[in-house]
Amino acid sequence: MNKKADDCFIDTLLISLQDERIIEKINEIIEADTFNQPRETKRLLKEKEEEIARFQQELDSKEREIIDYKIKINELNQKIDSYLYELQKRRADYQEAEELYNSIQHLSEETRNSLKRIFKGTTVQDFIFCGVQYENISSLWDFIKNEAMEGRGHERETLIAIFRYFFQAYSKTFDTPLYKTQEVQINDVFREDLHIRASDSKISGNITEILLPGYISINGKIIKKSIVKI
């Protein structure tokens, strides 16, 4: 019975499939399904492309931010390097001043007492503050000159080092220094208009030793003549 019913159903279906309306409907279904599949695929593809474009924009934005941060980091590193360089310079300058201040403590008591008229105070800061003032630089030069002229030269090297340090420090306070040390060389001919002869020197001749360098103004005017031996 079942086989007979199945055969009957198949025969009826085959006959129905030959109906033009059925064939037309089947074709419409096939065409509609074939048409909708590419449209759905295109829609999904477009969504993915838009998503990729959005991600690319975000990536480009982040890359620009990274570049900006790198530029800022580079600028900050340059500033840090500049600050460290200045700090090291100041530390070196301060260290030199501290060493010179300590060197005064090893001078004779008589010299230390004399220098108290120039370097007032009891700290390195006081020493620096007094030392960079022009009047004190000039007074220090005069003191070294008197020591040299009277033959007390055993502490001259320390005193000249202090003078040179503050002379240079004072010059740095101006864009164009007001003074510069006098250029004197061994074997230069002694000239009374340029030099001062030490007490144990010959009357004339060539310079054999420079006891204390003098200095001149920026326009060439002699402020302090160099103390020399002949």
Side-chain angles (χ1 to χ4, degrees):
M1 288 293 295
N2 288 339
K3 184 177 183 306
K4 197 172 182 181
D6 289 342
D7 291 342
C8 182
F9 172 76
I10 292 171
D11 291 339
T12 303
L13 180 60
L14 290 173
I15 293 171
S16 297
L17 290 174
Q18 294 176 6
D19 189 302
E20 291 183 0
R21 290 177 300 172
I22 298 298
I23 294 172
E24 184 178 347
K25 191 65 176 177
I26 291 173
N27 288 333
E28 287 177 359
I29 294 171
I30 292 172
E31 289 177 359
D33 186 60
T34 304
F35 179 75
N36 287 333
Q37 282 184 3
R39 288 187 62 184
E40 181 64 18
T41 302
K42 288 180 179 179
R43 184 184 67 79
L44 292 174
L45 181 60
K46 185 177 180 181
E47 287 180 356
K48 295 301 179 183
E49 288 175 346
E50 290 175 349
E51 188 175 1
I52 291 172
R54 187 168 60 255
F55 287 147
Q56 186 62 50
Q57 287 179 345
E58 292 179 2
L59 179 61
D60 292 341
S61 177
K62 295 300 180 183
E63 287 179 345
R64 286 193 296 270
E65 287 182 14
I66 291 172
I67 292 173
D68 290 340
Y69 284 133
K70 285 183 177 179
I71 292 173
K72 290 178 180 178
I73 290 172
N74 185 55
E75 291 174 348
L76 288 173
N77 284 336
Q78 289 179 349
K79 288 183 178 180
I80 290 171
D81 290 342
S82 177
Y83 291 148
L84 287 175
Y85 176 73
E86 286 298 322
L87 179 62
Q88 289 170 353
K89 278 181 59 180
R90 292 178 183 275
R91 186 175 293 166
D93 287 343
Y94 185 84
Q95 182 178 356
E96 185 177 359
E98 187 174 26
E99 290 172 356
L100 290 172
Y101 175 77
N102 290 332
S103 71
I104 291 180
Q105 315 312 315
H106 296 89
L107 298 176
S108 65
E109 184 178 358
E110 181 182 357
T111 300
R112 292 200 308 272
N113 289 334
S114 297
L115 290 177
K116 285 180 181 179
R117 295 183 291 105
I118 300 172
F119 299 107
K120 299 176 178 63
T122 57
T123 66
V124 178
Q125 289 85 350
D126 296 332
F127 174 68
I128 294 172
F129 178 77
C130 292
V132 295
Q133 298 183 49
Y134 176 75
E135 293 78 8
N136 290 333
I137 294 171
S138 178
S139 296
L140 177 60
W141 191 95
D142 289 336
F143 176 76
I144 302 171
K145 171 194 170 184
N146 292 335
E147 293 291 293
M149 295 299 289
E150 294 178 12
R152 296 192 295 271
H154 61 286
E155 297 175 324
R156 181 167 50 86
E157 185 176 340
T158 298
L159 295 172
I160 289 178
I162 296 171
F163 166 75
R164 287 187 181 278
Y165 174 80
F166 285 118
F167 186 85
Q168 293 173 0
Y170 177 76
S171 296
K172 290 178 182 178
T173 61
F174 299 92
D175 293 333
T176 302
L178 300 180
Y179 307 101
K180 62 181 180 179
T181 54
Q182 193 179 33
E183 294 182 4
V184 185
Q185 302 293 331
I186 301 297
N187 290 326
D188 283 354
V189 177
F190 172 79
R191 291 174 50 182
E192 289 190 356
D193 59 329
L194 298 178
H195 315 122
I196 297 176
R197 183 178 56 247
S199 57
D200 56 347
S201 292
K202 298 176 183 178
I203 296 177
S204 63
N206 294 341
I207 295 172
T208 59
E209 186 179 357
I210 302 166
L211 300 181
L212 175 61
Y215 59 92
I216 62 177
S217 67
I218 198 66
N219 60 11
K221 179 182 177 181
I222 297 177
I223 308 301
K224 305 283 188 182
K225 297 179 183 180
S226 296
I227 314 299
V228 300
K229 273 188 178 183
I230 304 172

